[in-house]
Amino acid sequence: MFPAALITVDYSAAQGPLLDCLSDLRDMGVTRVILIHVVQVGYALGASYGNKEALEDWLQGRAAPLHAAGMEVEIEIRAAGEVAKEILQAATDHRADLTVIGSRGQNMIRGLFLGSVAREVIRLSTQPVRLEWIESTGKDGDGACARTCHAGLRRVVLGTDFSQQSQASEKASMALARLGTHVDVMHVLAPDGGKIYARWPRMAQAALSYIVDDIIAAGGTAEAHILTGKPSEEIARLAADRDADLIVVGKHGQGWVASMAIGSTAANLCEIARRPVLMVPFIKTEE
């Protein structure tokens, strides 16, 4: 599904655990990994600035379990003023199919907030991005952190609004279904949606049934869910109730006027999900 993954790492405790769950990468079809660290030019507090040899040793150490798992691994260090853009340029240069990034919390005890680099990567990327959830493991904020691991990709939640922007995420979920993954397909109705158009709940249920049938045909199992409320909150709630290993959602592709923002549902979801989120962009092509 995603043969080559570019994984961004740095010296912080919040990024260190990013490689702790190898089964996730294997289940997503990853066989080649590029570990990259981008030194922000002019950022004096960067722990790796001017310390390339130590950083290379650290990256090689982080690559060891990936090598042991039979993956092809490359490491790279870059310097740039705009870190997010350099990460995406590296993904293009290495022909990566997936970019993986962790989100550092401003205060990991009170809750996780998308870091500026992660948010910019998600906003600008024209390729799928997997945002990892990093938890604090102690009282020292992000001084002691761990990645939230699940047992592979047993269960996935797919949030869809049936728009063009959801089609790519639906296809990604069908690809995961070929692994035997269970997919909970959900659509969230606005609280007053039925009043605006009384037939919409039944139409949504019918549309979900078609997606469920496609997932089953692909080799997985699936259930349809229609909930009412704020989409990001309802998606996160269902994912928690079902102990989902991954949430899959779509977003606008770069080049759209609307892509200047991630999209309120996707952005909010990344801040409250407490589990990995795969964001799959829809790219509009010229007709």
Side-chain angles (χ1 to χ4, degrees):
M1 183 180 178
F2 300 113
L6 182 128
I7 305 178
T8 63
V9 291
D10 66 28
Y11 267 150
S12 73
Q15 296 288 308
L18 202 57
L19 305 177
D20 290 345
C21 311
L22 285 176
S23 60
D24 289 11
L25 295 176
R26 286 195 293 260
D27 285 353
M28 295 183 76
V30 176
T31 58
R32 182 169 71 94
V33 170
I34 303 96
L35 296 183
I36 184 169
H37 173 73
V38 178
V39 179
Q40 186 170 10
V41 176
Y43 184 50
L45 296 179
S48 59
Y49 189 78
N51 199 16
K52 183 175 180 180
E53 184 176 343
L55 181 58
E56 287 178 341
D57 290 342
W58 183 75
L59 285 175
Q60 291 290 359
R62 298 300 293 163
L66 298 170
H67 283 298
M71 294 184 181
E72 177 187 345
V73 187
E74 306 166 49
I75 66 170
E76 184 172 5
I77 301 167
R78 295 191 179 195
E82 298 182 81
V83 174
K85 289 183 178 180
E86 194 63 32
I87 289 170
L88 295 176
Q89 183 59 54
T92 298
D93 294 344
H94 288 278
R95 298 183 180 180
D97 307 289
L98 175 71
T99 298
V100 181
I101 189 166
S103 184
R104 294 183 63 176
Q106 295 173 355
N107 184 320
M108 301 197 68
I109 295 176
R110 291 184 299 176
L112 184 71
F113 296 86
L114 275 176
S116 59
V117 172
R119 182 179 290 277
E120 191 72 354
V121 166
I122 292 169
R123 183 179 76 85
L124 295 174
S125 180
T126 59
Q127 294 291 330
V129 176
R130 176 172 167 136
L131 181 76
E132 299 294 349
W133 188 274
I134 308 295
E135 293 277 7
S136 172
T137 60
K139 298 180 180 180
D140 298 325
D142 65 355
C145 306
R147 177 177 163 191
T148 302
C149 294
H150 292 257
L153 293 175
R154 304 159 302 142
R155 196 169 201 122
V156 169
V157 166
L158 166 66
T160 180
D161 61 4
F162 312 120
S163 66
Q164 284 185 313
Q165 287 70 38
S166 290
Q167 291 177 8
S169 59
E170 292 167 11
K171 290 179 180 178
S173 297
M174 290 173 198
L176 291 172
R178 297 188 184 102
L179 304 170
T181 300
H182 179 87
V183 182
D184 287 296
V185 189
M186 67 177 296
H187 174 73
V188 182
L189 299 171
D192 57 353
K195 297 178 182 178
I196 297 173
Y197 188 54
R199 294 183 180 180
W200 181 247
R202 283 180 291 168
M203 294 173 66
Q205 186 65 59
L208 287 178
S209 296
Y210 281 112
I211 298 173
V212 165
D213 289 344
D214 287 342
I215 290 170
I216 292 173
T221 58
E223 296 175 59
H225 307 268
I226 292 185
L227 302 174
T228 301
K230 184 177 180 179
S232 57
E233 293 177 358
E234 296 304 320
I235 293 171
R237 184 177 295 115
L238 180 66
D241 290 345
R242 294 304 176 109
D243 192 26
D245 305 302
L246 180 70
I247 297 171
V248 183
V249 292
K251 82 173 188 76
H252 288 286
Q254 184 64 9
W256 285 57
V257 173
S259 73
M260 294 304 293
I262 297 172
S264 58
T265 295
N268 292 339
L269 180 61
C270 287
E271 298 201 5
I272 65 175
R274 307 199 76 83
R275 64 200 65 244
V277 177
L278 176 65
M279 303 183 70
V280 187
F282 170 80
I283 308 301
K284 184 178 181 180
T285 57
E286 297 294 334
E287 296 181 358

